[in-house]
């Protein structure tokens, strides 16, 4: 031991001769050279003093370096520019902050148990390089009776940033929505002697938006199967009327018309109204976006085989080569990043949550029809 103070891991380092011998042993071993050359993720090889012997090209690129010699002999926190790495003379692993560092814990646990260990590591880089979140895996490796570590790094910073922003968004938007709801409720109360249909419509849209936000939060947190639908008896005629009103001023429907053909009599179905509006809304928006100006979109309903079929038609034809991908997640014929959600989400919610069925047919000269089948009473399915 060199006698230097450490708050966590041993301070001792290999001297220059030991490092050179370890470097030669690692770089002449076929398994290590194969791993370094084939693993696309971030990989470093450490000695048992936690010093870097070599890194693969992906990690070299991540660090913005030209040669592995630039990090040779350093410890991981030093190579990754951790702000705490220089707080003690012996560097990474020996400072007060290292006690709670996932990377340092993974390395020491691996050395102590001689088994692969995984931890999360939150790292703040020096010189305003930013904050990072890594998944670290330390795996023991023995060569010629010497112990080394394969140090795998997965950069999950972007994923964590998105998760953080999602949580912040839902928190803030719910606060804003609560304020809007309270304001409109007060306006409705003040105008109760002369009811304003626009205020009531606005209140209904705010309520619907709240349900949409809660659904989105649930879907992001897990899967559609984890969402518990709120089933109630829905007047399909009233549902059609609400959708007609919604698309009177919808941007996608500008210059186009919506024709509704309702079965007689219109039934009531036991379902989740918020989800049903979302599914039909996605399908209607897609139909309007596919239609040219002055064209019509038709929405119809009929009773069929113990259930209700709601159909949405537009005159355009989906190219045959694209049809197998219409319900595929992330796929979009619009060629824009972040698209390909509407049809996928509609099918997911219709089938996995509501227990229905969604399909389509698209033929040249006949246009495209999406058909949503819903059991009139899911309890008898």
């Amino acid at each position: 031991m060199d006698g230097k103070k450490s708050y966590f891991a041993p301070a001792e380092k290999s001297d220059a001769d030991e490092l050179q011998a370890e470097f030669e042993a690692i770089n002449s071993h076929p398994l290590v050279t194969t791993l370094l050359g084939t693993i696309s993720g971030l990989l470093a090889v450490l000695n048992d003093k936690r010093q870097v012997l070599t890194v693969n090209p992906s990690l070299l690129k991540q660090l913005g370096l030209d040669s592995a010699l630039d990090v040779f002999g350093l410890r991981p926190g030093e190579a990754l520019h951790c702000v705490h790495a220089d707080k003690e003379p012996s560097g990474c692993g020996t400072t007060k902050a290292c006690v709670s560092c996932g990377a340092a814990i993974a390395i020491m646990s691996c050395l102590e148990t001689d088994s692969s260990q995984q931890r999360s590591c939150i790292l703040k880089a020096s010189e305003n390089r930013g904050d990072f979140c890594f998944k670290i895996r330390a795996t023991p490796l023995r060569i010629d009776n010497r112990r080394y570590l394969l140090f795998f790094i997965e950069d999950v910073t972007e994923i964590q940033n998105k998760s953080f922003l999602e949580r912040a968004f839902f928190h803030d938007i719910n606060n804003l929505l609560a304020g809007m709801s309270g304001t409109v409720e007060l306006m409705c109360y003040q105008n109760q002697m002369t009811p304003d249909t626009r205020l009531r419509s606005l209140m209904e849209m705010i309520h619907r938006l709240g349900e949409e936000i809660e659904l989105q939060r649930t879907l992001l947190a897990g899967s559609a199967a984890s969402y518990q639908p709120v089933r109630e008896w829905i007047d399909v005629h009233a549902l059609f009327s609400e959708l007609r009103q919604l698309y009177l001023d919808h941007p996608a429907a500008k210059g186009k018309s919506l024709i509704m053909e309702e079965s007689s009599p219109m039934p009531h179905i036991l379902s989740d109204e918020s989800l049903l509006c979302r599914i039909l809304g996605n399908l209607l928006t897609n139909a309007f976006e596919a239609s040219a100006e002055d064209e019509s979109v038709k929405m119809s309903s009929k009773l069929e085989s113990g259930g209700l079929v709601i159909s949405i038609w537009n005159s355009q034809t989906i190219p045959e080569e694209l049809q197998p991908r219409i319900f595929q997640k992330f796929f979009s014929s619009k060629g824009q990043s972040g698209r390909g959600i509407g049809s996928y989400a509609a099918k997911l919610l219709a089938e996995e949550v509501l227990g229905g069925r969604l399909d389509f047919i698209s033929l040249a000269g006949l246009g495209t029809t999406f058909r949503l089948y819903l059991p009139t009473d899911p309890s008898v399915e």
Side-chain angles (χ1 to χ4, degrees):
M1 297 288 290
D2 56 14
K4 294 178 180 177
K5 182 172 64 174
S6 173
Y7 288 93
F8 185 55
E12 180 185 7
K13 294 182 178 181
S14 296
D15 59 31
D17 291 338
E18 288 176 315
L19 276 175
Q20 185 61 36
E22 291 166 339
F23 174 80
E24 292 174 358
I26 283 297
N27 282 279
S28 63
H29 196 279
L31 172 61
V32 176
T33 55
T34 298
L35 288 173
L36 292 170
T38 58
I39 289 180
S40 59
L42 311 179
L43 172 63
V45 182
L46 314 180
N47 65 9
D48 62 357
K49 306 297 191 303
R50 313 186 310 285
Q51 293 170 272
V52 176
L53 300 176
T54 189
V55 300
N56 72 341
S58 296
L59 182 50
L60 206 60
K61 182 179 179 180
Q62 175 91 356
L63 296 172
L65 302 174
D66 297 321
S67 170
L69 293 176
D70 293 325
V71 291
F72 179 61
L74 300 181
R75 284 172 169 157
E78 296 152 12
L80 295 169
H81 306 288
C82 173
V83 293
H84 301 289
D86 61 355
K87 298 293 178 63
E88 293 294 333
S90 296
C92 172
T94 66
T95 76
K96 291 181 179 179
C98 298
V99 175
S100 58
C101 171
I105 294 171
I107 291 172
M108 292 308 299
S109 296
C110 178
L111 290 171
E112 291 171 4
T113 64
D114 201 33
S115 63
S116 185
Q117 299 289 324
Q118 181 171 303
R119 297 289 192 281
S120 293
C121 173
I122 309 300
L123 182 143
K124 184 175 183 64
S126 60
E127 300 176 6
N128 296 318
R129 288 184 174 92
D131 297 279
F132 298 90
C133 183
F134 299 123
K135 281 187 178 179
I136 302 295
R137 178 173 289 277
T139 300
L141 174 68
R142 288 191 176 273
I143 297 176
D144 298 331
N145 294 321
R146 296 186 68 108
R147 187 163 56 165
Y148 302 93
L149 296 180
L150 298 175
F151 187 73
F152 297 92
I153 307 170
E154 181 183 357
D155 189 347
V156 294
T157 306
E158 185 175 350
I159 296 172
Q160 290 297 314
N161 278 336
K162 286 182 177 179
S163 178
F164 172 79
L165 291 173
E166 284 168 1
R167 289 194 299 270
F169 168 78
F170 284 124
H171 176 270
D172 294 344
I173 202 70
N174 275 322
N175 285 342
L176 180 61
L177 199 61
M180 291 172 59
S181 179
T183 300
V184 175
E185 280 185 4
L186 179 60
M187 293 172 67
C188 289
Y189 174 76
Q190 292 172 340
N191 289 271
Q192 60 182 339
M193 298 303 294
T194 54
D196 189 326
T197 57
R198 290 170 299 179
L199 279 178
R200 290 201 300 268
S201 178
L202 180 58
M203 193 67 215
E204 176 60 30
M205 285 189 284
I206 290 174
H207 174 69
R208 185 81 67 206
L209 179 59
E211 293 177 333
E212 287 278 344
I213 290 171
E214 186 57 36
L215 170 61
Q216 193 66 22
R217 191 210 305 266
T218 302
L219 293 178
L220 285 170
S223 65
S226 68
Y227 184 79
Q228 295 299 315
V230 180
R231 298 187 187 274
E232 56 187 342
W233 287 104
I234 300 169
D235 181 338
V236 178
H237 174 73
L239 176 66
F240 271 43
S241 297
E242 181 180 341
L243 289 168
R244 184 195 296 277
Q245 187 67 32
L246 178 63
Y247 279 88
L248 282 177
D249 299 311
H250 196 285
K254 186 176 181 180
K256 306 160 192 177
S257 59
L258 175 60
I259 299 173
M260 290 189 165
E261 301 172 348
E262 304 176 12
S263 63
S264 182
M266 285 291 276
H268 286 64
I269 57 171
L270 187 62
S271 191
D272 185 309
E273 187 173 3
S274 179
L275 287 186
L276 191 51
C277 280
R278 178 167 182 168
I279 294 166
L280 295 174
N282 280 337
L283 297 178
L284 282 169
T285 298
N286 286 346
F288 277 119
E289 288 180 344
S291 301
E293 194 165 341
D294 295 326
E295 288 188 335
S296 297
V297 169
K298 294 180 182 178
M299 182 173 175
S300 61
S301 65
K302 66 176 181 177
L303 293 172
E304 182 179 297
S305 303
L308 176 72
V309 175
I310 299 176
S311 299
I312 295 175
W313 172 90
N314 73 88
S315 64
Q316 301 299 312
T317 305
I318 301 171
E320 190 173 349
E321 66 273 15
L322 300 184
Q323 292 187 24
R325 294 183 177 272
I326 290 302
F327 293 123
Q328 184 175 333
K329 191 176 184 180
F330 306 130
F331 174 77
S332 173
S333 60
K334 301 176 180 69
Q336 296 176 343
S337 176
R339 300 301 293 256
I341 295 298
S343 298
Y344 165 81
K347 189 172 182 68
L348 183 76
L349 296 173
E351 298 185 355
E352 292 196 19
V353 180
L354 295 185
R357 185 174 64 252
L358 178 62
D359 53 28
F360 73 93
I361 184 169
S362 186
L363 297 171
L366 297 177
T368 299
T369 301
F370 280 81
R371 287 168 38 95
L372 171 64
Y373 170 84
L374 293 168
T376 50
D377 185 351
S379 64
V380 301
E381 287 290 300

